[in-house]
């Protein structure tokens, strides 16, 4: 899968702040790209609507076929995605 770009939006939490960061697909590490591909293929829900005051992450992945958004809370971060969130989160502060 060719990933053109990734945008991370972090919102919620106790203060309700919204932060956003973007990264070109060419800057993804191999493990990050693989984790994103698995996440997009799984289409499984990763958010508990009952979770209150949790950080919510939205990843928007742009490919030649269009954009796909995946949302999850901090308690349900999909396997392999945490390092990408940490790296992108440094650019949104």
């Amino acid at each position: 899968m060719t990933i053109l770009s990734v945008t991370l939006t972090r919102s919620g939490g106790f203060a309700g702040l919204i932060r956003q960061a973007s990264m070109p697909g060419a800057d993804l590490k191999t493990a990050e790209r693989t984790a994103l591909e698995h996440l997009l293929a799984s289409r499984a829900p990763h958010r508990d609507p009952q979770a209150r005051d949790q950080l919510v992450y939205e990843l928007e992945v742009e490919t030649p076929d269009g954009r796909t958004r995946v949302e999850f809370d901090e308690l349900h971060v999909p396997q392999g995605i945490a390092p990408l969130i940490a790296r992108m989160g440094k650019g949104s502060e």
Side-chain angles (χ1 to χ4, degrees):
M1 169 188 301
T2 301
I3 297 175
L4 303 175
S5 67
V6 179
T7 300
L8 170 69
T9 304
R10 184 182 78 183
S11 61
F14 184 72
L17 299 176
I18 297 174
R19 300 195 189 273
Q20 191 172 63
S22 294
M23 174 185 296
D27 291 352
L28 290 169
K29 296 178 181 179
T30 302
E32 294 168 343
R33 181 178 306 280
T34 301
L36 279 173
E37 290 171 352
H38 287 291
L39 176 61
L40 296 177
S42 75
R43 301 279 186 196
H46 297 282
R47 184 165 182 220
D48 181 355
Q50 300 298 319
R52 305 232 188 266
D53 295 328
Q54 298 296 319
L55 290 174
V56 175
Y57 299 100
E58 179 185 276
L59 283 173
E60 181 178 273
V61 181
E62 183 178 5
T63 68
D65 296 327
R67 295 175 187 214
T68 303
R69 289 187 179 116
V70 180
E71 190 175 272
F72 47 91
D73 61 47
E74 65 184 317
L75 297 177
H76 299 93
V77 175
Q79 184 174 355
I81 297 294
L84 176 63
I85 290 173
R87 191 158 75 100
M88 290 185 74
K90 290 179 183 177
S92 68
E93 295 180 9

